[in-house]
């Protein structure tokens, strides 16, 4: 087939890479030039009638499509702002999440490339964007509910309509993507649904069952998440319960579900944006108890070497043992911190010594963050002469002025550590301790030791 053809509906077209293209006499949105039309034909088999029909549908509804695109892109931008801001340095104030307008979005963030018509008659706009210059984004227009996908997804479109999950579009890697809207904190928020699976696999019965279970328990899950965040922010579970029992209505809107992940076996959980460190955590929902995990943890839950313990959490195999994640409030600041278990040998499992040590740590949580400052202050005063010689001590931290509150500014907590023998400690860095310090919990006592004594 020649590289130039004349079609009865599209007119003169030129073949480029995997599509027939032409520049249309239609100015569009932010484009300096006119809209480019691309008609997918990767194997150069010729244009299909379903593509001609799709183009006529587009022309009949063009103004409606134009009007909906900006709102969809702005919604997508705000929904993904945290990751966009990390990928684009120096975003102007006019492009910040709460103030961006359509003119600011189009002035440098998003540029229209073309209208693309797929082999099955689906169609949408493809855009270039400053936060993903390689893949761009797209708006799939031909569905009853238009949505933003990637340009790659549009150009290699694989979709299916599930009776429970609705429209799903494959990401070209290892997941089907869907979309739903929730009001977790009183206002509508998009929630992406991601289902593990290849293009040819479709959706498993376990995933359909898991999604039905999720819908049934969604409000319960969210209430449990809010309560968990309250426990963390208040400092411990007992204080939080007392506040709730007194009738105080408290909503800690600091952990917002952004996506729901369901693996092939039906394990499911949220990926949540957290405002305490501008990052994400995963929350396992399909277990008997909510568990906080590292971002990406949901994709590892079904692995054979993953351990789910209702009391201690979810642990993943690591070179030196097992790794997990805890969220705690330390010296007034909420942090996501690694939890590592040191285990020797190839077979990694939890034992009773570890469980007993963790129970002791949980018991300490009631008074931990009032006692740790006292311990570090005593250490600081005892070793002040050595500390003074190692770094320039600020006036507020001089021996006669330091107190248990400001001395904590010198402590950098790096993780919770548990040995195979059942020794558990908070690991930290401190200016005078070259190898770091450890707050070890032993029989209702906090012992401050060099990290080398427990590692």
């Amino acid at each position: 087939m020649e590289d130039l053809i004349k079609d009865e509906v599209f007119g003169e077209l030129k073949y480029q890479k995997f599509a027939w293209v032409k520049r249309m006499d239609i100015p569009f949105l932010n484009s300096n030039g006119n809209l480019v039309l691309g008609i997918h034909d990767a194997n150069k088999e010729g244009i299909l009638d379903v593509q001609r029909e799709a183009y006529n549908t587009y022309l009949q509804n063009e103004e409606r499509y134009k009007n909906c695109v900006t709102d969809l892109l702005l919604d997508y931008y705000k929904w993904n702002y945290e990751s966009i801001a990390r990928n684009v340095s120096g975003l102007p104030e006019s492009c910040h999440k709460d103030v961006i307008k359509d003119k600011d979005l189009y002035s440098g963030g998003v540029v229209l490339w073309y209208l693309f018509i797929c082999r099955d008659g689906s169609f949408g706009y493809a855009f270039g964007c400053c936060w993903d210059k390689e893949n761009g984004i797209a708006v799939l227009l031909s569905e009853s509910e238009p949505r933003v996908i990637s340009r790659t997804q549009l150009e290699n479109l694989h979709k299916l309509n599930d009776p429970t999950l609705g429209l799903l579009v494959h990401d070209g890697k290892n997941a089907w993507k869907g979309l739903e809207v929730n009001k977790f904190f009183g206002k509508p928020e998009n929630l992406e649904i991601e289902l593990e699976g290849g293009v040819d696999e479709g959706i498993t019965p376990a995933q359909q069952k898991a999604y039905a279970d999720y819908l049934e328990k969604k409000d319960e899950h969210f209430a449990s998440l809010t309560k968990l965040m309250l426990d963390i922010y208040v400092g411990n579970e007992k204080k939080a319960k007392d506040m709730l029992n007194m009738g105080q209505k408290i909503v800690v809107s600091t952990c917002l579900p952004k996506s729901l992940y369901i693996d092939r076996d039906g394990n499911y959980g949220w990926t949540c944006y957290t405002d305490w460190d501008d990052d994400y955590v995963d929350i396992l929902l399909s277990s008997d108890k909510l568990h906080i995990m590292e971002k990406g943890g949901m994709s590892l839950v079904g692995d054979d070497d993953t351990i789910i313990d209702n009391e201690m959490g979810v642990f993943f195999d690591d070179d030196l043992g097992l790794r997990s994640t805890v969220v705690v409030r330390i010296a007034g600041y909420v942090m996501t911190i690694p939890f590592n278990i040191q285990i020797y040998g190839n077979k990694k499992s939890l034992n009773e010594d570890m469980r007993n040590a963790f129970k002791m740590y949980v018991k300490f949580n009631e008074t931990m963050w009032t006692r740790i400052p006292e311990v570090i202050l005593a250490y600081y005063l005892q070793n002040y002469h050595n500390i003074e010689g190692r770094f320039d001590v600020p006036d507020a931290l001089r021996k006669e002025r330091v107190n248990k509150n400001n001395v904590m500014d010198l402590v950098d907590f790096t993780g919770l550590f548990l040995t195979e023998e059942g020794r558990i400690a908070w690991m930290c860095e401190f200016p005078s301790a070259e190898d770091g310090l450890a707050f070890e919990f032993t029989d209702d006592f906090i012992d401050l030791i060099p990290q080398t004594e427990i590692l």
Side-chain angles (χ1 to χ4, degrees), residues 246 263 265 439 445:
M246 290 172 63
D263 71 15
D265 298 324
F439 293 92
F445 183 76

Side-chain angles (χ1 to χ4, degrees), residues 60-116:
Q60 292 167 14
N61 297 277
E62 185 176 33
E63 288 306 312
R64 177 166 63 86
Y65 294 140
K66 286 181 179 180
N67 291 335
C68 81
V69 163
T70 297
D71 286 342
L72 285 169
L73 290 176
L74 280 171
D75 185 55
Y76 175 90
Y77 183 92
K78 293 175 182 179
W79 180 26
N80 293 275
Y81 178 78
E82 291 81 18
S83 58
I84 290 172
R86 284 199 300 270
N87 291 334
V88 181
S89 60
L91 275 177
E93 288 188 11
S94 60
C95 289
H96 288 183
K97 178 180 180 179
D98 297 329
V99 299
I100 188 167
K101 306 294 184 185
D102 53 357
K103 62 181 180 62
D104 302 306
L105 184 69
Y106 292 132
S107 66
V110 175
V111 179
L112 178 69
W113 281 343
Y114 47 80
L115 168 69
F116 191 77

Side-chain angles (χ1 to χ4, degrees), residues 194-197 204 206-207 210 261-269 298-303:
E194 181 176 347
L195 301 108
E196 181 188 22
T204 68
Q207 288 173 315
Y261 182 89
I262 307 176
D263 71 15
R264 290 184 182 90
D265 298 324
N267 301 302
Y268 67 86
M298 272 309 308
S299 63
L300 304 173
V301 164
D303 293 352

